[in-house]
């Protein structure tokens, strides 16, 4: 449907209200119900949304030091101008098909609001399109499911949650059949919600699932990924389940990925520019430059791919997540997995990304760093890794924690060039805040280790 058809549908919709939402810096949806008359007016002129959504963290604690000048006690937390994107229209099938529309922020003069993740991605897309590229992306997620009630689990301090299914049973048709109501609802309701899945299966680990979302234009892919995470949680609640997208639930099990698949096509989307039958491994020069760009930029953009303290507990050797700055063909131990699978399917999988990521920022980071390599005509001098990527140190290793990664990004001219100084300043301050909040906390490990013996 075009915009006029969507607006006409909304105008005549039996619901008199809609859900509208934006994402904060952590990728958490922040929204409200809006009367459809207000919505139809807001489509034309925008509407005010309190800019505190960029002045507090995921637990609504106010940041100490923010770069976005309008956000803070000093300004009284005014409204920022939000714009609704009618093309994101969906209906929520598990809520009686109430209409749903995503939006993003812009300044009153029409410029992008520097802290808005979706606006940042749109800015990177515009640059790619200006270079003659049409990016097609998709994301896949692993996540844990628990047979828990959020109120009861919170009372227990989120300790010892009960897995939805027992045992280590990846790709299990038995477990999928045992829990077929939930499985079918995930696949069918998400598709009806405009988030079509390519595949859904159990992953190794108790109660772990994995889903791959169908590929699309990059902005639609990011919208789908954001809506997938909240959609899964809402569908899970209907089944008495809590879904968790933490990157690392426990030291005893692998972490949860959010791998981003990406390719560049020509302006008409008829030719995959990552494929070249005449080149070695059918990897085109464009794809080689794109890989070189990501490898070069990864240390300076890592917080956008691994945004929490917990993210780095996943990026450890032997846990199906990369630790080195490496690439290889169909190699699951490297940071960048090249998949030269023919004219239609040739792509790159960035395996650093965890399930706890903000999809808008992850895809912006992947695309910006990739086209940086093309723009700078970087040579892929690093040899591809054959075998164990954990042992291939030829190009160095990834930063090992959120503070180290944020320091790299904060002092990087590369990050400023890719995303702009205002975004980098704001985003890195939010990551430093996250690290400080973590550092204040006394963990169970510390108590067990030091309480008596020390």
């Amino acid at each position: 449907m075009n915009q006029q058809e969507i607006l006409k549908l909304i105008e005549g919709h039996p619901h008199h209200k809609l859900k509208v939402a934006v994402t904060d810096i952590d990728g958490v949806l922040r929204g409200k119900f809006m009367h459809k008359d207000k919505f139809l007016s807001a489509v034309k002129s925008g509407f005010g949304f309190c800019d505190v959504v960029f002045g507090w963290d995921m637990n609504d604690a106010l940041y100490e030091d923010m770069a976005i000048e309008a956000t803070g006690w000093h300004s009284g937390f005014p409204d920022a101008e939000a714009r609704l994107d009618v093309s994101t229209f969906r209906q929520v099938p598990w809520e009686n098909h109430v209409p749903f529309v995503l939006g993003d922020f812009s300044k009153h003069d029409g410029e992008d609001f520097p802290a808005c993740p979706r606006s940042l991605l749109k800015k990177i897309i515009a640059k790619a399109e200006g270079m003659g590229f049409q990016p097609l992306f998709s994301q896949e997620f692993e996540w844990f499911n628990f047979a828990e009630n959020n109120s009861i689990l919170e009372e227990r301090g989120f300790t010892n949650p009960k897995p939805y299914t027992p045992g280590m049973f990846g790709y299990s048709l038995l477990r999928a059949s045992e829990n077929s109501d939930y499985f079918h609802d995930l696949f069918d309701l998400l598709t009806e919600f405009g988030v079509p899945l390519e595949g859904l299966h159990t992953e190794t680990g108790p109660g772990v699932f994995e889903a791959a979302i169908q590929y699309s234009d990059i902005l639609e892919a990011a919208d789908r990924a954001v809506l997938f995470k909240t959609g899964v949680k809402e569908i899970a609640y209907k089944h008495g389940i809590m879904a968790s997208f933490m990157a690392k639930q426990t030291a005893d099990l692998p972490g949860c990925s959010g791998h981003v698949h990406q390719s560049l096509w020509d302006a008409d989307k008829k030719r995959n520019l990552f494929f070249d039958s005449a080149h070695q491994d059918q990897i085109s020069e464009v794809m080689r430059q794109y890989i070189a760009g990501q490898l070069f930029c990864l240390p300076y953009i890592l917080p956008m791919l691994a945004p929490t303290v917990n993210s780095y507990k996943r990026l450890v050797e032997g846990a199906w997540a990369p630790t080195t700055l490496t690439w290889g063909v169909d190699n699951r131990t490297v940071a960048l997995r090249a998949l030269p699978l023919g004219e239609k399917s040739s792509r790159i999988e960035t395996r650093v990304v965890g399930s706890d990521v903000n999809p808008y920022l992850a895809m912006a980071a992947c695309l910006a760093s990739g086209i940086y390599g093309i723009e700078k005509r970087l040579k892929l001098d690093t040899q591809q890794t054959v075998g164990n990527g954990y042992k291939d140190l030829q190009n160095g290793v990834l930063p090992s924690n959120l503070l180290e990664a944020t320091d790299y990004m904060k002092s990087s001219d590369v990050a400023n060039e890719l995303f702009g100084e205002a975004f980098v300043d704001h985003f890195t301050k939010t990551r430093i805040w996250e690290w400080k909040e973590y550092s204040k906390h006394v963990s169970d490990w510390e108590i067990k280790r030091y309480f008596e013996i020390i």
Side-chain angles (χ1 to χ4, degrees), residues 49-332:
F49 201 115
C50 182
D51 72 3
V52 73
V53 295
F54 297 115
W56 60 24
D57 67 13
M58 65 183 75
N59 286 321
D60 293 2
L62 290 170
Y63 295 122
E64 290 174 338
D65 179 24
M66 279 296 93
I68 304 303
E69 61 184 44
T71 300
W73 293 116
H74 64 283
S75 63
F77 293 104
D79 282 346
E81 186 176 347
R83 296 281 177 179
L84 293 165
D85 186 344
V86 176
S87 70
T88 67
F89 168 77
R90 287 156 165 82
Q91 298 179 75
V92 186
W94 55 90
E95 289 191 13
N96 199 25
H97 294 89
V98 64
F100 185 106
V101 173
L102 286 167
D104 51 52
F105 286 85
S106 59
K107 286 186 176 179
H108 292 290
D109 58 8
E111 293 182 7
D112 291 335
F113 190 75
C116 178
R118 194 172 189 267
S119 292
L120 178 71
L121 178 57
K122 288 162 69 175
K123 179 179 170 183
I124 306 300
I125 293 169
K127 180 172 182 179
E129 290 177 343
M131 296 170 67
F133 302 128
Q134 287 292 328
L136 299 185
F137 275 49
S138 67
Q139 193 161 7
E140 57 186 58
F141 288 100
E142 298 165 344
W143 76 98
F144 277 73
N145 297 276
F146 297 101
E148 293 285 358
N149 173 281
N150 55 3
S151 298
I152 295 173
L153 189 59
E154 186 173 11
E155 288 176 6
R156 299 207 314 262
F158 293 92
T159 57
N160 300 317
K162 180 183 177 183
Y164 181 53
T165 59
M168 307 289 286
F169 212 165
Y171 298 100
S172 171
L173 292 180
L174 180 62
R175 287 286 183 258
S177 178
E178 179 186 7
N179 302 286
S180 60
D181 287 349
Y182 182 37
F183 250 79
H184 285 297
D185 267 1
L186 285 173
F187 209 106
D188 297 342
L189 293 177
L190 286 168
T191 298
E192 194 176 347
F193 188 44
V195 186
L197 301 186
E198 186 176 273
L200 174 67
H201 63 87
T202 65
E203 186 50 274
T204 185
V208 185
F209 293 175
E210 179 175 355
I213 306 170
Q214 288 183 16
Y215 80 94
S216 61
D217 291 342
I218 181 172
L219 185 59
E220 171 66 15
D223 289 341
R224 288 178 179 182
V226 166
L227 294 172
F228 172 85
K229 291 177 74 172
T230 195
V232 165
K233 292 175 185 178
E234 292 178 14
I235 294 168
Y237 288 148
K238 304 290 185 184
H239 289 265
I241 297 165
M242 287 188 70
S244 174
F245 288 85
M246 275 183 65
K248 188 79 167 180
Q249 288 285 343
T250 171
D252 302 326
L253 295 170
C256 291
S257 70
H259 300 152
V260 174
H261 292 254
Q262 55 221 269
S263 57
L264 295 181
W265 293 64
D266 64 9
D268 297 325
K269 290 189 284 190
K270 291 182 178 178
R271 186 164 66 93
N272 185 344
L273 301 177
F274 280 2
F275 175 76
D276 187 340
S277 59
H279 261 255
Q280 182 182 2
D281 291 325
Q282 300 185 329
I283 296 175
S284 72
E285 185 60 24
V286 169
M287 186 175 180
R288 294 180 69 84
Q289 291 174 343
Y290 191 97
I291 292 172
Q294 279 204 14
L295 279 178
F296 176 76
C297 294
L298 263 175
Y300 311 112
I301 64 173
L302 187 58
M304 297 171 73
L305 309 179
T308 71
V309 172
N310 184 251
S311 303
Y312 298 82
K313 308 292 176 69
R314 168 181 166 264
L315 300 175
V316 294
E317 188 170 330
W320 298 97
T323 58
T324 55
L325 290 163
T326 45
W327 76 281
V329 174
D330 200 10
N331 187 333
R332 287 183 167 87

Side-chain angles (χ1 to χ4, degrees), residues 27-45:
V28 177
L29 278 176
R30 305 280 190 167
K32 61 176 78 174
F33 279 100
M34 181 182 284
H35 194 283
K36 68 181 178 182
D37 291 344
K38 169 68 174 176
F39 171 85
L40 293 169
S41 172
V43 166
K44 298 176 183 177
S45 58

